[in-house]
Structures are given as structure tokens and as C-alpha cells.
Amino acid sequence: MESSDSTEENGSDSKTVKKRKVSGETQAKLIKLEGPSCAMNEHTDNVSAIVWGGERNPVTLYSGSWDHSLRSWDVTRECCTATLNGNKVVTSLSFSESSQMLASGHADNTVRLWDARAHGDSIVKFELTSHKKWVSDLAWSKTNDHLLVSVSHDNTMKLWDIRAKIPLYSLTPHTSKALCVDWNHSCKQIVSGGADSKLEVHTLDS
């Protein structure tokens, strides 16, 4: 027989959640969620995308905003360490730890690639243009530095080799806006979600 208990303690800025199973299993640890430990507020408009800098940069966070900028943050020092200025609203963000490249999706239908190691104002390294509407999400492959997938409000999903100017594949998996996309752990499959309430799984040929 198995049972679980859940308790919450509401203070000013904290919650405590405890779950317990009684069937010879190890009792779950006590998890306490504190209020914000810091606030970083240099963006001047909606913050629309965030991504961590990976294992090599565990205290680095990247953000994108409707103020047209991408920012790098040191969450330990609670400060902005670099600003990459663009001229279009940022809608999505993905970071490649192996290549140290940031990919950003934008409301002008474009995917832009940036060098995350740059400091101060920086020009875009590459622009990928094939989508016809707002780029809603994108994701780097974790096994190939050159592969990037993006989805858009034009219902399409595009697989890019960033060394080329045109997508390797362009699919229309959804009957409405494609909203999110990600790779599986082995990067042999890509899954997309859309406003048509569907998840579509795509397998890459080896």
C-alpha cells in the first residue's frame, strides 16, 4: 500500500513541500523554495526568453527581450556582463555549449546567431531567413555544432545546417502555429508542439 502526504507552509516568500511514500521506499527530501535571491532588471521591455550557459558557465544566464537586446548575466554577482544589441524583438533563445553560440528567434521571421563570448555591442554573425512569420522557438543539437531547428507561426519546422543559407529540411507538421520544439537526448528525434493541440515527433535518418 502506498500513500503520500503533501504539506505547504506559506510565509512571506517561501513554500515548503514534503512528500512521503510508505512502502519501504526512501522518504523524499524536504524541498524548500525561497523567494527571489536576486533581481536583475536592466532590460527595458518584456523578457521573452532565458537560457543557462551550460556546465562550463554554471553561473551564466542569457536573456532576450522585446527591447531588441540579448544580455549575459552573472547570477552570483547579480550583474549584466555583456549586451548584444539588435534591432528586432527577441522571441526565443537557445545556447550551444560546444560552440558558445547563441541562436535567437525574432518577430521579423529571422533566426540570428551570435557569439556568446563577445562583449559590448556586437553585430550578428549570421542570419537565417526562410520563415514567413514570427519565429516562436528554436533549439541547438547537442551532438552536432552545426545543426539547429526552429519553428514558426507559419506552421513550419526547419532544420538548419548553419554553414548554409537555406534550411536542410522544411516541414509543415502543424495546421496552425508551431509554438515549441526540442531534440531528444540522442538528437535522433525532434518533437514540435503547435496551436493545433498536437505533438509531432520526427526521426532523423542516420
Side-chain angles (χ1 to χ4, degrees), residues 92-179:
S92 50
L93 200 58
S94 182
F95 175 70
S96 171
E97 185 168 11
S98 56
S99 68
Q100 297 291 293
M101 293 278 287
L102 279 165
S104 55
H106 297 265
D108 67 344
N109 318 334
T110 302
V111 173
R112 293 180 170 86
L113 307 181
W114 315 70
D115 185 348
R117 296 162 294 191
H119 292 280
D121 293 351
S122 174
I123 61 172
V124 177
K125 290 181 68 70
F126 303 107
E127 289 190 349
L128 304 176
T129 55
S130 179
H131 284 297
K132 304 304 181 186
K133 292 183 179 180
W134 182 309
V135 178
S136 46
D137 198 15
L138 36 69
W140 286 103
S141 167
K142 299 176 182 65
T143 60
N144 188 323
D145 293 348
H146 305 297
L147 292 184
L148 177 74
V149 64
S150 60
V151 291
S152 167
H153 286 189
D154 63 10
N155 307 2
T156 67
M157 180 184 79
K158 296 181 186 289
L159 180 64
W160 306 86
D161 183 323
I162 64 170
R163 296 168 293 186
K165 294 293 185 181
I166 59 175
L168 293 174
Y169 297 100
S170 184
L171 305 174
T172 308
H174 298 282
T175 57
S176 188
K177 299 172 184 176
L179 299 176

